[in-house]
Structures are given as C-alpha cells and as structure tokens.
Amino acid sequence: MSRSASDFAKYFIKNKYDYPRNTFDGNMKLQKMLYFSQLIHLTLQDEKLFEDDMYAFKNGTVIENIRQQYQFNHEATVQGALQYEPEFTEEEKRSLEIAEKIFGHLDAKTLSDLNHQQHSWITSYENSKDEISDFHHKELSIIDEDVIKSYDLATIQEVINAYFTDDDDDESFEIVNGVTFYYDPETVQIDSEVLDILESFKGEESVYSLCYDENNGYIIF
C-alpha cells in the first residue's frame, strides 16, 4: 500500500521527534527521521516507505511538502498528529522502530551531518547547483531512488546489523514517548508496571538511565 510521508510525519511528531518543537531544528530533525526511515525500509523491504519526493537541500534531505506544512501551519499540523491513530503494517512498524532506536536520540545537527555523508544527497545537491551563480535549482535536487539503492543502502544495512549486534549487549534501551531509557536487563524487566512509570515520566532530556533499587524502587536518572 502506497502511503504519504504525512502519515509517518504525524507518527514522529506524536512521539516527540520534532523537538525542540516549532523550531528550525525541530523541523530538521523531523525531516531526517523521515529520510532515514525511508532508507531503512528500502533496505529491509526493497520498497519505499512513502512516495513523496525527497530533495537535497543545504541542511540535508527534505520532504518539502512536510517541511512547509510544519513551518507555516504548525499548530494544526501538531494537533492533527497528536490525534492520529496509525494503522501501520508490521513491516512499517519495524522500520520505524529501528529508525527510532538508531537515530531518535540524535539531535538535528548530528542527523544532518550523517545525512551529508550519503552519496544520494551529495549527488543531487551537486547536480542542483547553478553553473554560474550560487543558486540551487529545486527541480534538479530530487533524490533518485536508484542512486540510493546503488550507493547508500549497503551502509544502512551495516548500521542496522550493528544495531542488532549491540541489542544483544549487556545494556538495553526502551523508547517511550520519544525518550530513550537505558537499563540493565539483568536487573530490570520491562513489563506493564515499568511501562506505566516510563509513560508518566516527565523530563527535559531525551535520554535517561533506569535502574531498580530494593529500598527505593525504580529510579530514573
């Protein structure tokens, strides 16, 4: 089933992957989460997560209709996302989950730097340059799916493999409401009680550690 990037943008906004919200950086992080999710899905499923064109702009890859909607109609966009109840396939859920766990804790600048290393972005950005001026032609900056498949998916596959390898290490993590909680699976078991605690937790950071103390119960720091 062909989907719009809007479905996944709503998901990421609802799960707070556009923070700091209503800022340039928040919009940029949202764009990069969509971009890397697209590459992950292409790697795992050999098909696109969404059909929208992706453009190579100065700060990285942009889904232009989502960028403009977020910037110029922000309040309605966020409210629509908060009310959104996605019905994703298991394959879509898996790609989104991997994107969250690999890239969700990174800030917009770091994600942009990673994006700039992708061959498909480099090629399209250079192709869009005007031969005389510093102007970039938007219509020439569309990222080609074949270039992504030829040059970038092998790297993404390595990143995914590393994620699954690391997932078997002593420390694990759980993402709840866009916040990453690291814990030792030998001492902490993520069950419904713990999930309730994490879902109700209010903090200013995007990453925390979770441990269990016999006297004080669960501690988040």
Side-chain angles (χ1 to χ4, degrees), residues 121-171:
W121 175 85
I122 295 171
T123 300
S124 295
Y125 188 69
E126 291 297 321
N127 186 56
S128 70
K129 285 183 179 179
D130 190 272
E131 294 182 358
I132 300 175
S133 68
D134 292 332
F135 181 78
H136 285 261
H137 298 274
K138 177 180 175 182
E139 68 275 10
L140 298 178
S141 71
I142 296 177
I143 294 176
D144 190 288
E145 181 182 350
D146 290 337
V147 177
I148 292 176
K149 288 183 175 180
S150 297
Y151 295 98
D152 292 336
L153 295 194
T155 301
I156 295 299
Q157 183 66 69
E158 291 178 3
V159 172
I160 294 172
N161 292 342
Y163 154 68
F164 281 115
T165 299
D166 291 342
D167 204 37
D168 293 332
D169 291 345
D170 292 337
E171 190 173 45

Side-chain angles (χ1 to χ4, degrees), residues 95-107:
S95 296
L96 294 172
E97 177 184 341
I98 293 173
E100 288 178 282
K101 290 190 174 182
I102 295 176
F103 300 106
H105 65 287
L106 302 176
D107 61 27

Side-chain angles (χ1 to χ4, degrees), residues 45-203:
Q45 306 300 329
D46 194 31
E47 63 182 21
K48 292 188 288 187
L49 189 66
F50 52 82
E51 294 296 330
D52 307 56
D53 285 333
M54 300 192 298
Y55 295 85
F57 286 0
K58 179 180 180 180
N59 290 302
T61 303
V62 168
I63 296 84
E64 179 66 340
N65 58 318
I66 303 298
R67 184 193 69 81
Q68 292 195 20
Q69 183 180 7
Y70 188 92
Q71 179 177 353
F72 298 113
N73 195 20
H74 179 264
E75 184 175 350
T77 299
V78 171
Q79 289 304 312
L82 295 178
Q83 297 169 16
Y84 182 56
E85 296 296 336
E87 295 183 358
F88 297 142
T89 66
E90 290 302 315
E91 292 77 14
E92 290 167 341
K93 290 177 183 176
R94 183 167 181 251
S95 296
L96 294 172
E97 177 184 341
I98 293 173
E100 288 178 282
K101 290 190 174 182
I102 295 176
F103 300 106
H105 65 287
L106 302 176
D107 61 27
K109 176 62 167 58
T110 302
L111 290 170
S112 178
D113 290 343
L114 290 173
N115 191 173
H116 287 159
Q117 298 174 24
Q118 306 302 306
H119 186 91
S120 56
W121 175 85
I122 295 171
T123 300
S124 295
Y125 188 69
E126 291 297 321
N127 186 56
S128 70
K129 285 183 179 179
D130 190 272
E131 294 182 358
I132 300 175
S133 68
D134 292 332
F135 181 78
H136 285 261
H137 298 274
K138 177 180 175 182
E139 68 275 10
L140 298 178
S141 71
I142 296 177
I143 294 176
D144 190 288
E145 181 182 350
D146 290 337
V147 177
I148 292 176
K149 288 183 175 180
S150 297
Y151 295 98
D152 292 336
L153 295 194
T155 301
I156 295 299
Q157 183 66 69
E158 291 178 3
V159 172
I160 294 172
N161 292 342
Y163 154 68
F164 281 115
T165 299
D166 291 342
D167 204 37
D168 293 332
D169 291 345
D170 292 337
E171 190 173 45
S172 299
F173 57 89
E174 186 75 20
I175 297 175
V176 179
N177 295 330
V179 179
T180 303
F181 298 90
Y182 285 92
Y183 65 93
D184 182 353
E186 294 292 327
T187 59
V188 174
Q189 181 179 355
I190 302 298
D191 54 20
S192 59
E193 176 189 0
V194 175
L195 286 175
D196 286 342
I197 293 172
L198 299 183
E199 288 176 356
S200 61
F201 177 76
K202 304 296 182 183

Side-chain angles (χ1 to χ4, degrees), residues 1-18 21 29-39 41-42 45 47-52 54 63 65-66 69-70 77 80-82 84-97 99-100:
M1 177 175 63
S2 176
R3 287 190 187 271
S4 164
S6 177
D7 292 333
F8 304 104
K10 290 174 185 176
Y11 173 85
F12 284 129
I13 292 170
K14 187 171 185 176
N15 287 283
K16 302 181 181 178
Y17 289 108
D18 62 323
R21 184 158 284 171
K29 176 160 182 174
L30 174 63
Q31 298 300 317
K32 302 309 172 277
M33 292 300 293
L34 288 168
Y35 168 73
F36 282 113
S37 297
Q38 180 81 300
L39 265 61
H41 202 70
L42 278 167
Q45 306 300 329
E47 63 182 21
K48 292 188 288 187
L49 189 66
F50 52 82
E51 294 296 330
D52 307 56
M54 300 192 298
I63 296 84
N65 58 318
I66 303 298
Q69 183 180 7
Y70 188 92
T77 299
L82 295 178
Y84 182 56
E85 296 296 336
E87 295 183 358
F88 297 142
T89 66
E90 290 302 315
E91 292 77 14
E92 290 167 341
K93 290 177 183 176
R94 183 167 181 251
S95 296
L96 294 172
E97 177 184 341
E100 288 178 282

